[in-house]
Amino acid sequence: MKLTNEVKIALVAITGIVLMYFGLQYLKGLTLFTTDDHYYARFDNVTGMSASSPIYANGYKVGVVEKVDYDYANQGNIIATIAVDPRLRLPRGTRAEISSDLLGNVQLQLKLGDNPIDLLSKGDTIVGAIQQGMMGKVGDMVPQIEKMLPKLDSILASVNALLASPAIANSLQNVETITMNLNSTTRQLNQLSATLNGQLPQLLTKADGVLTNTEGFTRQLNSIDVANTMNKVNQTLTNVQQMTDALNSKEGTLGLLMHDPQLYNNLNATMSDADKLMIDFREHPKRYIHFSVFGKKDK
């Protein structure tokens, strides 16, 4: 059977349309001629997610979002049909979270449940949510940042006023002066250290002489017979004690002089008579001395 040109053109067009359809599906990430398991995920908001968005579990791609439909019967719910690898078993309690990276690429993350025995059946609906990514955290911080802006303006104004104060310039000048003084003091200390280093040998020599004299004095102290000296001191103290005892006793001349009142009175009377005799001698010397210029014959 001979095909006409019209038939050939029609076959080429149909083949091109079929290839284009499957090519678009492939580019969207949808699997072709496979038996993926289908589940449903309910969301309140699917911002950025659309059909052909990839699905990941523990960082590994396990499927793709086939379509997203708005549930007009229950307004506020959006149902996404997801197709995952049939080898993946979804435990009950699995969540589907929409996440996006810094480049804006949206993907669906499956947070698997903890019970590996209680599994979801094909066609079950899982809970969906939007993951709080980095951008979401930054968005939550915006109100706090807005509250802080007036305080930051006040702080900056205070800092500017402080920097404009002439006291800062004066303080910096004082710091410069102090630095110069410290440099001068450091130079003087260096000179003093150099002088001390030069005089150190002489000081050490004098110190050695002092130590030598001290050592000689120590040897002299060691050579003293301390025991003999102490014996002599004790003997002297004994003699003094004996003399003190003799004076305190009524025996002996000194003891009698110190303890006999009559002897004291007699001595005192004798001294008084001697004193009177001397006075009479000075006043009447002729009574005691007789002399003649021409002499006198003895009778």
Side-chain angles (χ1 to χ4, degrees):
M1 178 179 179
K2 186 177 180 180
L3 298 177
T4 62
N5 292 331
E6 291 79 0
V7 174
K8 292 179 180 179
I9 293 172
L11 292 175
V12 171
I14 293 171
T15 303
I17 292 173
V18 172
L19 292 176
M20 184 177 64
Y21 173 77
F22 287 109
L24 291 174
Q25 294 294 98
Y26 178 78
L27 292 176
K28 289 181 180 180
L30 300 176
T31 57
L32 304 177
F33 308 109
T34 60
T35 57
D36 290 342
D37 292 339
H38 292 82
Y39 299 90
Y40 300 97
R42 181 180 288 105
F43 298 91
D44 296 333
N45 190 342
V46 291
T47 302
M49 190 181 72
S50 61
S52 73
S53 295
I55 300 174
Y56 291 88
N58 298 329
Y60 184 81
K61 184 178 180 181
V62 294
V64 68
V65 177
E66 286 192 350
K67 61 179 180 177
V68 179
D69 298 319
Y70 189 82
D71 189 0
Y72 292 97
N74 298 310
Q75 294 188 8
N77 292 330
I78 301 174
I79 306 300
T81 304
I82 60 176
V84 298
D85 194 304
R87 294 172 294 178
L88 178 64
R89 299 290 184 266
L90 299 181
R92 195 169 299 278
T94 299
R95 292 171 52 85
E97 296 183 356
I98 300 174
S99 63
S100 60
D101 55 20
L102 294 176
L103 298 178
N105 298 321
V106 179
Q107 57 190 9
L108 190 64
Q109 296 282 349
L110 292 179
K111 303 297 181 181
L112 303 178
D114 298 331
N115 191 351
I117 299 177
D118 189 8
L119 302 177
L120 292 174
S121 300
K122 297 179 183 179
D124 286 346
T125 302
I126 60 179
V127 179
I130 297 178
Q131 189 181 66
Q132 189 74 2
M134 183 179 298
M135 298 304 295
K137 294 180 180 178
V138 172
D140 293 340
M141 293 174 61
V142 170
Q144 299 178 2
I145 295 175
E146 291 178 349
K147 292 180 180 179
M148 292 175 61
L149 288 178
K151 296 181 180 179
L152 291 176
D153 292 337
S154 176
I155 293 172
L156 290 176
S158 300
V159 171
N160 291 329
L162 180 62
L163 293 176
S165 176
I168 297 296
N170 295 332
S171 299
L172 293 177
Q173 293 178 358
N174 293 333
V175 170
E176 184 178 1
T177 303
I178 292 171
T179 303
M180 294 175 61
N181 294 333
L182 288 175
N183 291 331
S184 177
T185 303
T186 303
R187 288 195 297 271
Q188 294 177 1
L189 288 175
N190 291 333
Q191 295 176 358
L192 179 60
S193 298
T195 304
L196 290 176
N197 291 331
Q199 296 178 354
L200 185 60
Q202 300 177 0
L203 294 176
L204 292 176
T205 302
K206 293 180 180 179
D208 290 337
V210 173
L211 292 175
T212 302
N213 294 332
T214 303
E215 185 178 358
F217 179 69
T218 303
R219 286 197 299 269
Q220 292 178 1
L221 289 177
N222 292 330
S223 63
I224 294 174
D225 190 356
V226 178
N228 190 16
T229 303
M230 292 303 297
N231 291 330
K232 293 180 179 180
V233 171
N234 291 331
Q235 186 177 0
T236 302
L237 292 176
T238 302
N239 295 332
V240 172
Q241 182 66 34
Q242 291 176 356
M243 184 178 66
T244 303
D245 294 339
L247 291 174
N248 290 329
S249 67
K250 296 181 181 181
E251 297 178 356
T253 305
L254 293 177
L256 292 174
L257 288 174
M258 294 180 65
H259 296 89
D260 191 353
Q262 184 177 359
L263 180 60
Y264 170 76
N265 292 329
N266 293 336
L267 289 174
N268 192 19
T270 303
M271 292 300 294
S272 179
D273 293 338
D275 188 30
K276 291 178 181 180
L277 179 61
M278 291 301 295
I279 293 173
D280 186 65
F281 178 76
R282 285 197 303 270
E283 292 178 354
H284 308 284
K286 294 180 179 181
R287 293 178 181 178
Y288 304 96
I289 300 173
H290 300 277
F291 63 91
S292 175
V293 177
F294 300 100
K296 184 179 181 181
K297 292 182 179 180
D298 296 334
K299 295 183 178 179

